[in-house]
DNA sequence: TGCAATGCATA
DNA sequence: GTATGCATTGCAA
């Protein structure tokens, strides 16, 4: 740091708005009913800046009466800005009072905006040799940046970044910060109501700046432009110049920088304290005192106070809450004041006994007690959501409704390990049932501490998934639905995500205890509730024999992850870049102007309004032109540009979703990609995969399937093996419908689509044409989804009536299939649900709807859900059995991925032959149908070869 | 910054 | 026509 004096100029409204909206979801209201969010937000920022930077000089700048000059220029200027919210207007006088008490000058000039005031002052200060920092998130200020003038921007997630000349150059792709004005003038700014040039957005504005340097130069050289862009800009030259003027911050406001006045001297502490007290700011008072006490001791920059965030002690302002007493076991049902407001029960209105357990002897006694139980609910609290990196913060236990204990964990990893060892006997005891909500997570976290969770499991999330798969299964929702109870929300403890979200570690122990034990308590109560509901039908069996065992299998697969060849993807990315740029160029040429191809809105306008490729274009339900793949493909043969757009889309998608995204998902600690299988989201019983989704890696196109080459074995001693069920859904529908013709075809190992074509089109199977087979294939799939003639004709070259005829012939060929489908619909009408071979239910509330569209959808679900769901059941059985065999046989080979009808394994080469047999056998014999199941195996050095 | 709409990858 | 997850755009709060 140089010895230059530093001046900080604060853009008041910008920070006030920011603070206000930060609390928008739960505004701070004090006992007088005043919304203090804006004051709180602003003061937090201000103190933060002072604490971090210890400025020599500081002032706060306000707007007043809008900008006279700008309004004269353009009457719409800021016209459509919303009324200032009530909570902000009322905050201003308070803020001014506080600033006065703090002896901080308030700079404001009637008829000017804060931007102008700050701009003017910063230039004056610069002449006097100051370094000026403009405290504002507003990008417009970038135009003011010089060697001695900086932006000091609060950034998302806490902290600040300083923008000097290099940052501005990079951010806006300009050579001189002054060009930011041209940039803003071209692009426009909807919040400031600067119109900008029509059709020019961020991308184009950057390009123009690069090409022409300034607005004036652009307007003088419009002949270099082409197409519609040229017309539009030439027609709006005045608007361009006006926009630039509007974007220009004035530097001649009649204000004066007086160094003496701006010195940050000692505040009137008593007065500030008094104001804060009236506003009921407790935490802020502490923060304020801390900020200025270090200053008064004059020990310059103390490093520790930077980290001493003001947020470590969340204020509990609503009531003298129950929380803090519980540690000592007091009954906390002090319901007297608050209960009347709530119809729903909460921790505050319910008698409970939640206790944290001290380390040492208390823990030993606790464990002894724990080991005497037969069934215990537990819940781990960690530092994050990723079980591979999350550290234990504590574990809650409950085995009696309304009661529970919390074991906090030390931050030191070795000490934490020592503590968890004391709990090992519990977790690894085969005879104690473990209850939890989403146990897969806890099991994965504990696995990282080398703890295996043994014994019977009861996962309330899985239980509810089987009871009602169409609902959501978060604990909060379940508690409200089944227990009429609202749990403490995680946000009240650690804040909203992003922003300044805390880690559970930063939450005071009492709060951790209340929160964590409540979760365990609630989960225990839910278990008692769900246990009975599972009892009926076959659901209990499905739960005990499929979903719960599968949970451990998935945990292992996720922990294992898969190896990814990052270098390969990098080179693929470069190739794609090249091709995309080329396509972009020729599309712009064909269109006669540049636009955002990725924007369906803009694309629709170019294609259908400008180029008029179609007489009456299709529109989507929101009134946009439909530019979906199906529509464009149809046009592709007539217009070259369409094919290029399709290619462009394909390549962009490929690059952004897979090629560039996957390497970022490699877990640092393992060097592998670990997906997360969701066991409770797909209503049919399938799994889903996310972070990243490894169930939708491309395969259809040549270009896309290259991505699969990046999935490789663990090392040279391993190879990948992919095993997939052949036509499992068709086999299932054949078996369930008992359609002999189809069953026979499968038994004879025929090509099922060719076989269908041969019967439907009445030709020998050897003479089926490619087109016939393809149409038959489409109908076969259509059947699974619940066909309609409309859908079929959309998918094939057939007309609506041809499609209808084809479907009729199909039904005539396979009469039992049709019968089966209507049986399913009838069953659903009578029972309200359909089910899979294992009794997994899906409820169809719309099956008797009077609305034909809604009812039709339910009917298709009635046909599809049992088929898709049965296939899911079968592969789940196979996974459980294979997992079992792999572990019994102590094999090194691992199951890595599941893609609905396919399993992918990392095979230790010496085990290859054994694995082939084991996997094929287990998959084909997972479930007995009247149709044989057939599994194809493929092996390779990457996922593409193994397919 | 968060959400809806759109489009697209898989089975 | 079934079932998902995710990237991008564009608008709103």
């Amino acid at each position: 740091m140089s010895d230059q004096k530093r001046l900080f100029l604060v853009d008041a409204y910008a920070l006030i708005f920011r603070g206000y909206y930060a609390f928008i979801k739960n505004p701070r209201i004090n006992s007088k009913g005043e919304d203090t969010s804006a004051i709180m937000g602003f003061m937090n920022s201000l103190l933060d800046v002072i604490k971090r930077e210890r400025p020599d000089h500081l002032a706060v700048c306000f707007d007043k009466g809008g900008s006279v000059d700008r309004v004269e220029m353009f009457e719409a200027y800021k016209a459509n800005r919303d009324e200032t919210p009530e909570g902000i207007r009322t905050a201003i006088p308070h803020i001014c009072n506080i600033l006065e008490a703090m002896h901080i000058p308030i700079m404001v000039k009637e008829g000017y905006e804060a931007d102008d005031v700050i701009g003017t002052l910063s230039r004056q200060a610069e002449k006097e040799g100051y370094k000026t920092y403009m405290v504002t998130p507003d990008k417009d200020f970038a135009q003011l940046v010089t060697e001695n003038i900086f932006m000091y921007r609060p950034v998302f997630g806490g902290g600040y970044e300083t923008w000097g000349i290099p940052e501005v150059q990079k951010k806006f792709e300009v050579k001189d910060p002054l060009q930011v004005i041209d940039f803003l003038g071209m692009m426009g700014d909807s919040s400031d109501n600067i119109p900008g040039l029509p059709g020019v957005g961020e991308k184009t504005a950057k390009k123009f700046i690069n090409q022409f340097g300034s607005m004036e130069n652009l307007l003088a050289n419009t002949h270099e432009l082409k197409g519609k862009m040229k017309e539009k800009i030439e027609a709006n030259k005045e608007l361009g110049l006006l926009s630039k003027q509007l974007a220009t911050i004035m530097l001649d406001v009649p204000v004066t920088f007086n160094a003496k006045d701006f010195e940050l001297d000692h505040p009137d502490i008593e007065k500030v304290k008094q104001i804060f007290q009236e506003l009921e700011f407790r935490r802020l008072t502490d923060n304020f005192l801390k900020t200025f006490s270090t200053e008064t001791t004059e020990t310059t920059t103390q490093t520790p106070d930077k980290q001493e965030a003001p947020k470590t002690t969340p204020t509990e302002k609503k009531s003298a809450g129950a929380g803090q007493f519980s540690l000592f076991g007091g009954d906390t049902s002090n319901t007297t004041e608050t209960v009347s407001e709530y119809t729903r029960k909460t921790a505050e209105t319910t008698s409970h006994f939640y206790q944290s357990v001290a380390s040492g002897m208390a823990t030993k006694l606790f464990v002894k007690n724990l080991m005497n139980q037969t069934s215990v609910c537990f819940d781990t609290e960690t530092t994050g959501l990723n079980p591979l990196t999350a550290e234990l913060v504590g574990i809650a236990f409950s085995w009696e409704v309304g009661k529970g204990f919390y074991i906090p964990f030390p931050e030191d990893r070795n000490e934490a390990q020592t503590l968890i060892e004391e709990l090992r006997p519990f977790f690894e005891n085969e005879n104690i049932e473990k209850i939890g909500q989403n146990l897969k997570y806890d099991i994965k976290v504990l696995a990282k501490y080398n703890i295996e969770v043994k014994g019977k499991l009861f996962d309330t999330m899985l239980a509810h998934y089987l009871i009602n798969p169409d609902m959501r299964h978060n604990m909060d929702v379940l508690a409200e639905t089944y227990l009429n109870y609202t749990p403490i929300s995680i946000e009240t403890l650690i804040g909203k995500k992003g922003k300044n979200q805390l880690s559970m570690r930063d939450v005071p122990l009492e709060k951790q205890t209340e929160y964590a034990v409540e979760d365990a308590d609630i989960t225990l109560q839910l278990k008692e509730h769900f246990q009975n509901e599972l009892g009926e039908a076959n659901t209990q069996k499905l739960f005990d024999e499929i979903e719960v065992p599968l949970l451990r299998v998935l945990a292992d697969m996720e922990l294992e992850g898969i190896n990814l060849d990052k270098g390969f993807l990098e080179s693929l990315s470069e190739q794609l870049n090249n091709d995309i740029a080329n396509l972009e160029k020729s599309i712009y040429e064909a269109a006669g102007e540049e636009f955002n191809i990725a924007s369906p809105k803009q694309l629709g306008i170019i294609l259908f309004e400008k180029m008029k490729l179609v007489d009456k274009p299709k529109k989507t339900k929101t009134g946009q032109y439909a530019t979906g793949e199906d529509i464009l493909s149809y046009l592709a043969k007539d217009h070259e540009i369409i094919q290029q757009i399709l290619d462009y889309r394909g390549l962009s998608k490929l690059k952004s979703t897979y090629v560039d995204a996957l390497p970022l998902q490699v877990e640092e600690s393992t060097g592998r990609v670990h997906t997360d299988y969701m066991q409770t989201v797909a209503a049919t019983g399938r799994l889903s995969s996310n972070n990243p989704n490894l169930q939708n890696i491309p395969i259809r196109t040549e270009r896309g399937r290259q991505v699969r080459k990046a999935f490789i074995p663990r090392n040279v001693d391993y190879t990948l093996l992919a095993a997939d069920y052949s036509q499992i859904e068709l086999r299932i529908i054949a078996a369930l419908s008992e359609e002999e013709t189809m069953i026979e075809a499968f038994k004879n190992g025929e090509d099922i689509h060719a076989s269908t074509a041969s019967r439907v089109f009445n030709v020998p199977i050897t003479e089926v044409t490619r087109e016939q087979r393809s149409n038959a294939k489409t109908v076969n799939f259509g059947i699974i989804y619940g066909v309609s003639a409309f859908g079929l004709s959309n998918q094939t070259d057939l007309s609506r009536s041809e499609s209808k005829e084809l479907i009729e012939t199909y039904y005539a060929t396979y009469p039992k299939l049709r019968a089966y489908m209507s049986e399913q619909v009838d069953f659903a009408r009578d029972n309200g649900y359909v089910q899979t071979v294992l009794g997994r239910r899906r409820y169809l509330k719309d099956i008797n709807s009077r609305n034909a569209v809604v009812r039709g959808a339910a009917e298709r679900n009635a046909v599809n859900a049992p088929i898709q769901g049965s296939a899911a059941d079968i592969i789940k059985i196979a996974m459980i059995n294979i997992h079992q065999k792999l572990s019994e046989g102590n094999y090194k080979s691992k199951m890595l991925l599941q893609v609905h009808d396919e399993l992918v394994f990392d095979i230790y080469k010496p085990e290859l032959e054994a694995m082939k047999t084991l996997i094929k056998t287990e998959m084909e014999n997972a479930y007995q149908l009247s149709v044989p199941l057939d599994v194809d195996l493929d092996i390779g050095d990457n996922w593409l070869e193994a397919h």
Side-chain angles (χ1 to χ4, degrees):
Chain A
M1 203 199 297
S2 78
D3 49 4
Q4 244 176 315
K5 291 260 183 186
R6 300 193 307 157
L7 165 67
F8 279 69
L9 296 172
V10 177
D11 180 3
Y13 275 107
L15 293 188
I16 293 171
F17 268 84
R18 223 179 120 88
Y20 177 72
Y21 283 113
F23 291 116
I24 195 80
K25 289 232 170 88
N26 54 345
R28 305 288 145 149
I29 312 283
N30 65 20
S31 66
K32 292 165 210 151
E34 295 169 302
D35 182 345
T36 57
S37 309
I39 313 175
M40 175 98 82
F42 176 77
M43 289 311 300
N44 273 333
S45 307
L46 185 66
L47 291 180
D48 201 24
V49 171
I50 293 175
K51 228 188 323 186
R52 281 167 187 272
E53 301 296 336
R54 299 285 171 199
D56 315 295
H57 295 73
L58 186 147
V60 176
C61 306
F62 282 85
D63 300 338
K64 181 129 197 208
S67 163
V68 178
D69 287 3
R70 287 189 180 88
V71 174
E72 281 169 7
M73 264 188 263
F74 185 56
E75 67 279 5
Y77 182 72
K78 291 196 179 174
N80 68 351
R81 230 184 212 186
D82 290 343
E83 272 299 287
T84 312
E86 171 80 21
I88 290 184
R89 270 193 294 116
T90 53
I92 304 298
H94 290 295
I95 289 175
C96 291
N97 286 340
I98 297 168
L99 290 173
E100 263 170 46
M102 289 175 74
H103 301 154
I104 292 175
I106 296 169
M107 298 304 291
V108 48
K109 195 77 199 170
E110 180 82 40
Y112 293 92
E113 299 193 16
D115 319 22
D116 307 318
V117 175
I118 290 175
T120 307
L121 290 172
S122 63
R123 287 293 197 274
Q124 292 177 9
E126 185 173 35
K127 280 188 196 133
E128 295 185 26
Y130 283 80
K131 268 195 197 293
T132 301
Y133 293 82
M134 306 176 289
V135 183
T136 178
D138 190 346
K139 291 190 174 68
D140 302 4
F141 284 79
Q143 62 183 273
L144 298 170
V145 168
T146 68
E147 270 178 33
N148 300 304
I149 301 179
F150 305 88
M151 280 183 74
Y152 191 75
R153 294 186 79 224
V155 290
F156 180 68
Y160 295 82
E161 58 187 23
T162 307
W163 284 8
I165 294 176
E167 286 80 12
V168 173
Q169 285 171 330
K170 199 162 159 228
K171 210 88 195 169
F172 294 88
E173 294 175 25
V174 295
K175 292 193 184 67
D176 184 330
L178 284 173
Q179 288 175 302
V180 170
I181 305 174
D182 299 275
F183 172 79
L184 292 171
M186 291 179 193
M187 186 181 90
D189 180 342
S190 61
S191 71
D192 278 349
N193 221 20
I194 297 172
L197 291 167
V200 177
E202 180 180 333
K203 274 183 146 182
T204 319
K206 280 185 178 164
K207 210 179 58 191
F208 284 161
I209 293 290
N210 189 25
Q211 194 177 346
F212 298 103
S214 73
M215 175 76 79
E216 289 78 7
N217 202 28
L218 163 68
L219 299 180
N221 292 287
T222 49
H223 56 270
E224 287 181 32
L225 303 175
K226 48 194 171 163
K228 195 142 188 172
M229 180 71 82
K230 179 179 173 189
E231 290 170 33
K232 276 195 280 191
I233 291 185
E234 285 180 343
N236 288 286
K237 286 190 174 179
E238 275 182 41
L239 191 63
L241 291 172
L242 175 67
S243 293
K244 179 170 174 179
Q245 266 180 284
L246 289 172
T248 309
I249 294 176
M250 289 178 236
L251 301 173
D252 52 0
V253 180
V255 289
T256 325
F257 169 64
N258 179 335
K260 192 87 186 80
D261 292 350
F262 283 48
E263 265 175 31
L264 183 59
D265 56 3
H266 303 312
D268 184 339
I269 291 185
E270 281 315 306
K271 192 148 180 205
V272 174
K273 262 166 82 174
Q274 190 205 322
I275 298 173
F276 280 5
Q277 201 178 352
E278 281 166 19
L279 291 167
E280 298 169 19
F281 289 168
R282 287 225 325 273
R283 194 187 68 197
L284 204 54
T285 310
D286 295 346
N287 187 12
F288 173 77
L289 293 176
K290 228 183 275 174
T291 306
F292 285 93
S293 64
T294 36
E295 196 204 45
T296 36
T297 45
E298 213 64 77
T299 42
T300 58
T301 37
Q302 283 193 332
T303 26
D305 79 355
K306 266 208 168 165
Q307 287 308 319
E308 218 168 287
K311 281 110 191 168
T312 38
T313 48
T315 40
E316 184 59 52
K317 48 187 9 191
K318 274 172 52 182
S319 67
Q324 46 266 61
F325 307 131
S326 62
L327 187 58
F328 307 104
D331 185 341
T332 57
S333 56
N334 61 339
T335 64
T336 39
E337 295 165 34
T338 40
V339 71
S340 56
E341 289 178 52
Y342 300 103
T343 52
R344 223 164 233 147
K345 291 178 285 181
T346 67
E348 296 194 10
T349 66
T350 309
S351 157
H352 61 263
F353 178 70
Y354 298 162
Q355 195 166 20
S356 71
V357 180
S359 58
M361 194 42 94
T363 303
K364 294 205 170 20
L365 288 172
F366 168 77
V367 174
K368 205 174 160 203
N369 194 1
L370 189 63
M371 297 303 291
N372 286 329
Q373 308 307 319
T374 52
S375 174
V376 174
C377 181
F378 80 100
D379 182 34
T380 58
E381 300 301 330
T382 61
T383 52
L385 291 174
N386 179 352
L388 296 165
T389 54
E391 289 175 16
L392 274 173
V393 175
I395 307 180
F397 299 87
S398 173
W399 54 83
E400 201 182 315
V401 169
K403 260 176 91 167
F405 300 89
Y406 184 66
I407 309 248
F409 271 69
E411 197 160 353
D412 180 274
R413 181 75 195 206
N414 290 326
E415 289 175 31
Q417 190 65 46
T418 311
L419 179 53
I420 195 81
E421 291 303 332
E422 301 208 44
L423 292 164
R424 184 185 292 278
F426 163 74
F427 285 116
E428 302 196 343
N429 185 305
E430 295 276 4
N431 299 314
I432 304 176
E433 181 185 40
K434 319 289 189 302
I435 303 159
Q437 161 83 2
N438 190 13
L439 281 168
K440 175 154 70 71
Y441 178 79
D442 304 276
I443 285 175
K444 283 164 74 180
V445 170
L446 290 168
K448 285 283 156 184
Y449 288 79
N450 197 24
I451 299 282
E452 204 181 327
V453 179
K454 296 183 183 168
K456 197 177 171 205
L457 301 179
F458 192 106
D459 188 321
T460 48
M461 190 170 81
L462 288 180
H464 189 256
Y465 175 60
L466 295 180
I467 290 164
N468 193 345
D470 274 293
M471 267 179 71
R472 302 205 52 197
H473 321 286
N474 353 351
M475 202 201 72
D476 294 8
V477 175
L478 298 182
E480 291 185 0
T481 314
Y482 294 93
L483 307 174
N484 189 33
Y485 184 100
T486 306
I488 303 165
S489 93
I490 183 85
E491 282 191 1
T492 60
L493 293 194
I494 62 173
K496 282 183 292 188
K497 66 175 169 195
K499 265 310 242 180
N500 299 317
Q501 193 179 42
L502 301 171
S503 150
M504 185 57 82
R505 185 88 75 196
D506 304 322
V507 174
L509 179 61
E510 307 89 81
K511 300 260 176 196
Q512 279 184 37
T513 306
E514 283 290 294
Y515 172 81
V517 182
E518 184 190 58
D519 271 9
D521 180 14
I522 297 293
T523 305
L524 182 69
Q525 296 181 43
L526 286 171
K527 185 244 182 180
E528 293 180 359
H529 204 279
F530 293 155
Q531 205 160 29
N532 302 325
E533 289 202 42
L534 280 179
E536 63 180 60
N538 282 327
T539 325
Q540 182 74 52
K541 203 171 168 211
L542 192 57
F543 182 72
D544 291 333
E545 295 178 16
I546 308 289
E547 300 300 347
V548 170
L550 184 68
L551 165 176
R552 299 180 192 270
V553 178
L554 295 177
D556 276 351
M557 291 167 68
E558 293 171 14
L559 286 167
E560 189 64 28
I562 185 166
N563 200 5
L564 191 77
D565 186 345
K566 279 205 217 180
F568 174 76
L569 287 178
E570 270 164 35
S571 66
L572 205 55
S573 178
E574 278 169 35
Q575 291 172 30
L576 285 171
N577 248 343
N578 231 330
D579 298 351
I580 289 172
N582 288 336
L583 282 169
E584 219 170 26
K585 209 185 284 171
S586 42
I587 291 171
Y588 291 153
E589 247 162 56
E593 75 177 282
E594 301 198 353
F595 63 100
N596 186 347
I597 309 170
S599 161
K601 196 173 168 179
Q602 294 183 30
L603 179 65
I605 291 171
I606 298 274
L607 255 30
F608 302 121
E609 282 183 20
K610 180 175 177 188
M611 305 181 72
K612 295 201 194 314
L613 296 189
V614 184
D615 288 339
K616 45 178 179 35
K618 262 196 189 157
K619 299 234 181 172
T620 66
K621 54 176 171 282
T622 47
Q624 311 274 319
Y625 296 108
T627 62
E629 208 266 342
D630 45 344
I631 306 216
L632 293 193
S633 299
Y634 183 71
L635 301 171
K637 54 187 181 305
D638 302 326
H639 311 277
E640 203 190 353
I641 184 175
I642 299 285
Q643 190 53 54
Q644 289 170 337
I645 289 167
L646 287 171
D647 291 348
Y648 173 92
R649 272 197 191 155
L651 297 188
S652 309
K653 163 87 178 173
L654 199 59
K655 185 163 138 65
S656 64
T657 310
Y658 303 102
V659 180
D660 289 349
L662 279 172
L664 302 177
Q665 301 271 2
V666 172
E667 182 63 43
E668 216 168 314
S669 51
T670 63
R672 296 161 71 90
V673 178
H674 304 260
T675 187
D676 190 4
Y677 286 106
M678 303 273 119
Q679 210 177 339
T680 60
V681 300
T684 50
R686 277 189 177 182
L687 299 177
S688 84
S689 150
N690 67 19
N691 295 307
N693 182 354
L694 295 186
Q695 292 182 322
N696 72 345
I697 304 300
I699 192 163
R700 283 172 213 202
T701 66
E702 181 54 40
R703 214 58 201 273
R705 78 168 64 111
Q706 296 305 311
V707 175
R708 295 196 170 218
K709 281 194 188 163
F711 292 84
I712 54 178
R714 166 175 296 271
N715 60 43
V716 289
D717 297 330
Y718 286 74
T719 185
L720 287 189
L721 184 152
D724 64 288
Y725 282 108
S726 155
Q727 308 296 353
I728 188 168
E729 294 187 343
L730 273 179
R731 285 170 200 265
I732 288 169
I733 201 171
L736 294 181
S737 66
E738 299 172 320
E739 176 55 67
E740 284 303 327
T741 356
M742 200 177 258
I743 294 176
E744 278 310 308
F746 278 124
K747 280 191 177 162
N748 296 334
E750 288 174 23
D751 170 342
I752 190 64
H753 302 310
S755 163
T756 299
S758 137
R759 286 169 218 281
V760 170
F761 299 111
N762 201 19
V763 292
I765 195 161
T766 47
E767 288 171 32
V768 168
T769 66
R770 270 181 56 183
E771 198 192 357
Q772 286 172 327
R773 184 182 181 277
S774 160
N775 284 334
K777 185 176 174 182
T778 312
V779 188
N780 275 334
F781 279 113
I783 292 296
I784 295 169
Y785 300 147
V787 263
S788 75
F790 175 75
L792 186 60
S793 69
N794 266 348
Q795 284 259 314
T796 59
D797 294 333
L798 303 175
S799 71
R800 190 84 64 91
S801 60
E802 285 170 326
S803 298
K804 200 172 168 201
E805 202 188 316
L806 177 56
I807 292 171
E808 284 310 313
T809 326
Y810 186 96
Y811 283 143
T813 314
Y814 300 124
K816 282 199 165 175
L817 260 186
R818 175 182 228 169
Y820 168 78
M821 291 167 69
S822 38
E823 272 166 34
Q824 291 303 305
V825 173
D826 290 343
F827 184 92
R829 282 205 187 108
D830 295 342
N831 300 285
Y833 68 90
V834 288
Q835 57 187 350
T836 67
V837 289
L838 295 192
R840 181 192 306 278
R841 290 182 180 185
R842 177 156 188 200
Y843 291 88
L844 299 166
K845 61 179 167 45
D846 294 328
I847 195 73
N848 290 313
S849 167
R850 268 91 60 215
N851 181 329
V853 179
V854 173
R855 190 179 59 245
E859 287 171 357
R860 289 192 294 275
N861 275 319
V863 175
N864 176 260
I867 299 166
Q868 197 185 107
S870 296
D873 289 347
I874 291 171
I875 197 169
K876 282 178 174 177
I877 297 173
M879 290 167 74
I880 293 163
N881 292 344
I882 292 170
H883 182 259
Q884 171 83 12
K885 289 258 157 69
L886 287 182
S887 110
E888 280 172 3
N890 256 318
Y891 290 107
K892 285 184 159 184
S893 301
K894 302 282 184 199
M895 179 159 48
L896 304 183
L897 304 178
Q898 189 251 42
V899 192
H900 307 308
D901 65 358
E902 173 187 5
L903 296 174
V904 180
F905 299 82
D906 222 350
I907 302 288
Y908 184 52
K909 284 177 181 170
E911 295 169 358
L912 181 58
E913 289 313 312
M915 284 300 111
K916 280 183 176 171
T917 325
L918 190 160
I919 291 164
K920 194 167 162 77
T921 312
E922 291 303 330
M923 288 177 77
E924 290 183 347
N925 296 295
Y927 189 83
Q928 217 56 49
L929 290 170
S930 56
V931 173
L933 293 175
D934 182 40
V935 169
D936 295 325
L937 298 183
D938 283 290
I939 292 131
D941 286 333
N942 61 58
W943 196 6
L944 178 55
E945 278 180 33
H947 215 291

